[in-house]
Amino acid sequence: MYISARADYALRAMLAVADVADTTGESGVGAGELVKAASLAESQDIPLSFLQGILLDLRRAGLLHSHRGTEGGYALTRPPDEISVGDVLRAVGGAITSVRGIPADRAGYHGVATGLRDVWLAVDGAIALVVDRTTLADLLSDRATAP
């Protein structure tokens, strides 16, 4: 599994938005403070123009809600404990595991290499198990308990 800069930035941005929701004690659409893209870019050291495309993908995937205007910004659409790392990864990158640029479940082999498809599917399943059960809330709470 390759973690692209886009996936890493998306997770960092989502954690920053989730952290604002967590510190206000609220979550979901309209809860807590809205986070501006420029603020996210600065706090997470992400190029703003690159981040804007990522935020658009996250909004299209139903993970973020945007509010326009001078008081606008971004908020989570669901509580941080209902958004998994896998949700974010799929929103910005599609399939979790790919083989030669195609999803692992669509990889095809013949002859002596036939068994490779099963290996890639097992790898995909193992990765999905980890990223789908790890939520934004888990990552925020891990930070709070770290020394």
Side-chain angles (χ1 to χ4, degrees):
M1 174 179 185
Y2 171 75
I3 306 297
S4 66
R6 184 175 188 80
D8 183 58
Y9 290 164
L11 282 163
R12 289 165 44 193
M14 288 292 287
L15 284 166
V17 174
D19 190 46
V20 169
D22 189 50
T23 60
T24 62
E26 301 178 34
S27 58
V29 176
E33 294 180 41
L34 297 174
V35 183
K36 295 188 180 303
S39 173
L40 285 172
E42 184 178 333
S43 71
Q44 295 301 310
D45 197 26
I46 302 170
L48 180 59
S49 59
F50 193 41
L51 179 61
Q52 288 172 329
I54 292 168
L55 294 172
L56 180 62
D57 285 345
L58 294 168
R59 190 173 59 78
R60 285 181 180 155
L63 300 176
L64 286 178
H65 181 76
S66 64
H67 301 270
R68 295 186 178 265
T70 57
E71 299 299 316
Y74 291 88
L76 300 179
T77 58
R78 302 188 310 254
D81 63 349
E82 294 180 13
I83 299 174
S84 73
V85 169
D87 293 333
V88 177
L89 293 176
R90 288 180 189 92
V92 298
I96 297 291
T97 306
S98 64
V99 179
R100 300 179 320 275
I102 60 171
D105 63 345
R106 291 189 15 223
Y109 295 94
H110 60 276
V112 297
T114 303
L116 280 177
R117 183 172 188 275
D118 294 336
V119 171
W120 302 147
L121 290 174
V123 168
D124 184 61
I127 292 170
L129 184 65
V130 172
V131 299
D132 288 339
R133 75 172 173 209
T134 305
T135 67
L136 299 179
D138 293 334
L139 295 172
L140 291 174
S141 69
D142 286 349
R143 175 202 59 181
T145 59

